[in-house]
Amino acid sequence: MNTSESEIIKKNIIELRKKVAEAALKSNRNPEDIKIIAVTKTVEPERIAMAVNEGIYDLGENRVQELCEKYDKINKECNWHLIGHLQKNKVKYIVDKVKMIHSLDSISLANEIQKRAERINRVIDVLVQVNVANEPSKYGISCNEAIDFIKELSSLSNIKVKGLMTIAPLAENQENVRWVFRELRNLYIDISKENIHNIDMEYLSMGMSNDYQVAIEEGSNMVRIGTAIFGPRQ
Ligand SMILES: *Cc1c(COP(=O)(O)O)cnc(C)c1O
């Protein structure tokens, strides 16, 4: 194992945990309630293992193929999160591997997950991806479609909706995207109040290396962090 590399990752994680805790305390929450997902895209298994060694057991991949390749090489106690766009024809490859899918954004995808999950007798936890800023380049349903969409999902017995996810626009200053996180949080509260059958609003997956502090201040309890743990991607 490359010692200096693992020292860097360790230092990054200590720094990250400190800033996560500060942001949590700023919003009167318990730092332990914020789950850190290490985003491992383009990171080789050897370096992923260094983060696992530091106690990070939740790992996020945005591509199915990469998740499948790494799945067998990483400690089996880890939880894999599919955080990128998911094509229907790829659901079958991950349905037995993932802890949670963060990118549910269509009924046809939901139906495919339902079908595949039912076959292996699993209930899959999912988050609904919302394109809060309505960026044409991003996936996700719009805020005003969300409640009807989630009501439709409630009849799928092998899917458990656990919350919402968003990717904020790229911003030089994270204050500029605070409104995005606030809007998702408000939507989350509105949906909770509807008390929809089989829908469990538990997680707000928002915040990446550039904007996680503001996301936590606005209520995030799941941050997806790549660069701030592993350094810049090639
Ligand atoms: C790559 C990625 C991240 C992590 O991005 P960083 O800026 O490296 O922290 C988070 N979420 C999604 C959906 C991603 O694709």
Side-chain angles (χ1 to χ4, degrees):
M1 198 180 262
N2 181 331
T3 316
S4 65
E5 191 61 29
S6 65
E7 284 304 315
I8 293 169
I9 288 173
K10 179 178 182 172
K11 196 172 128 279
N12 287 347
I13 290 173
I14 290 170
E15 179 73 13
L16 173 66
R17 284 192 171 128
K18 190 171 136 250
K19 288 186 183 164
V20 165
E22 283 167 4
L25 294 172
K26 226 171 149 178
S27 59
N28 294 314
R29 285 184 308 145
N30 184 346
E32 285 169 22
D33 293 342
I34 319 282
K35 195 183 280 298
I36 295 173
I37 298 175
V39 176
T40 58
K41 61 188 184 209
T42 77
V43 179
E44 57 274 32
E46 201 178 49
R47 294 175 71 238
I48 299 172
M50 293 171 185
V52 177
N53 261 333
E54 298 306 320
I56 298 206
Y57 283 87
D58 286 273
L59 307 175
E61 273 294 338
N62 66 339
R63 289 178 60 238
V64 166
Q65 193 183 338
E66 224 175 312
L67 191 154
C68 291
E69 281 166 10
K70 290 169 182 172
Y71 182 80
D72 289 321
K73 299 181 180 153
I74 300 292
N75 187 329
K76 282 289 166 282
E77 281 173 44
C78 290
N79 303 312
W80 286 96
H81 298 253
L82 197 279
I83 59 174
H85 181 63
L86 179 57
Q87 288 172 286
K88 269 184 288 176
N89 61 356
K90 301 218 168 132
V91 172
K92 57 179 178 283
Y93 301 120
I94 54 144
V95 74
D96 59 334
K97 299 183 177 67
V98 289
K99 166 86 175 162
M100 186 178 270
I101 295 170
H102 291 227
S103 47
L104 181 58
D105 61 356
S106 75
I107 294 296
S108 58
L109 176 60
N111 287 334
E112 177 66 13
I113 297 170
Q114 165 63 31
K115 185 177 95 182
R116 297 284 173 178
E118 192 175 6
R119 275 191 201 171
I120 60 167
N121 204 14
R122 261 198 82 184
V123 176
I124 311 276
D125 290 346
V126 303
L127 304 179
V128 170
Q129 183 172 353
V130 183
N131 185 358
V132 176
N134 287 315
E135 288 178 281
S137 62
K138 292 221 169 88
Y139 291 99
I141 60 164
S142 68
C143 286
N144 41 26
E145 293 169 319
I147 288 186
D148 286 342
F149 180 68
I150 286 178
K151 282 181 180 163
E152 273 196 72
L153 300 176
S154 74
S155 63
L156 302 175
S157 55
N158 293 78
I159 288 183
K160 183 82 186 170
V161 176
K162 289 279 200 176
L164 306 176
M165 178 272 223
T166 198
I167 304 171
L170 203 59
E172 255 174 57
N173 180 345
Q174 47 178 316
E175 287 301 332
N176 296 342
V177 288
R178 185 182 284 278
W179 70 273
V180 172
F181 302 131
R182 188 167 292 176
E183 210 154 290
L184 196 69
R185 158 86 178 177
N186 288 337
L187 182 61
Y188 173 90
I189 292 168
D190 289 346
I191 294 166
S192 306
K193 283 187 190 150
E194 296 267 325
N195 283 318
I196 307 166
H197 163 75
N198 192 33
I199 304 296
D200 204 356
M201 284 287 130
E202 196 177 323
Y203 294 111
L204 264 175
S205 168
M206 53 187 199
M208 315 188 357
S209 294
N210 279 328
D211 56 21
Y212 67 89
Q213 288 149 294
V214 160
I216 292 169
E217 286 171 28
E218 295 300 326
S220 169
N221 57 6
M222 231 180 210
V223 288
R224 310 177 308 267
I225 310 292
T227 313
I229 293 176
F230 298 109
R233 284 179 288 275
Q234 262 76 58

